[in-house]
Amino acid sequence: GENVEQHPSTLSVQEGDSAVIKCTYSDSASNYFPWYKQELGKRPQLIIDIRSNVGEKKDQRIAVTLNKTAKHFSLHITETQPEDSAVYFCAARLFTGGGNKLTFGTGTQLKVEL
Amino acid sequence: KAGVTQTPRYLIKTRGQQVTLSCSPISGHRSVSWYQQTPGQGLQFLFEYFSETQRNKGNFPGRFSGRQFSNSRSEMNVSTLELGDSALYLCASSFPGTGERTEAFFGQGTRLTVV
């Protein structure tokens, strides 16, 4: 089955700096890669996603890049703000006959310091 | 549009008991997936239901089961509870359920504590 590794497990940056979180996946057939943000005590919220036929996607301060050859994808947050502090999860989905199983990375605790 | 609703929000159960959790998906969503979230294991996939049929299953023991009703609402049942079952149980719904793109939206979860 699919396996997703995520690094780093914790990340501390100064407000205004950039943050990068990296994930690798094992199954080359995976075709959909979402990123979720989970604040303490709240549900995971989808913040950006990318499909396997796209190399990069950007939404304001957030961008995701995908390297299918190397089987890794990354989340980039620019001009970080205190409200960006949360746990971020990457995930990969293997499309098998419409199946909707997401395999998650272990999460990155991002702390944006003033 | 209402989001994914899970009930109850909190549960405390004793070892050996069973528990049923409920998930109402976003209107029009037909796929419902369940995940177990623990500090040590992260988000682990339990199973997915689509059109009242289990379409995918994770690596959990048979004590974990589920079902989906014709209105797409789903229930998850855990029998013979163990201390290790203490976790946040999240469900996620998706539309249209088939196809290449399926954004999953999560409910707020049910916090289960087994004592």
Side-chain angles (χ1 to χ4, degrees), chain B residues 51-65:
Chain B
S51 293
E52 302 179 62
T53 301
Q54 187 179 88
R55 192 161 65 172
N56 279 295
K57 190 177 189 307
N59 298 322
F60 278 81
R63 299 185 298 107
F64 293 81
S65 63

Side-chain angles (χ1 to χ4, degrees), chain A residues 36 38 43 93 98-100 102, chain B residues 37 55 94 102 104 106 108:
Chain A
Y36 287 85
Q38 187 175 30
R43 73 187 79 192
R93 196 196 76 158
N100 197 17
L102 287 171
Chain B
Q37 185 174 28
R55 192 161 65 172
S94 303
T102 54
F106 283 89
Q108 289 187 299

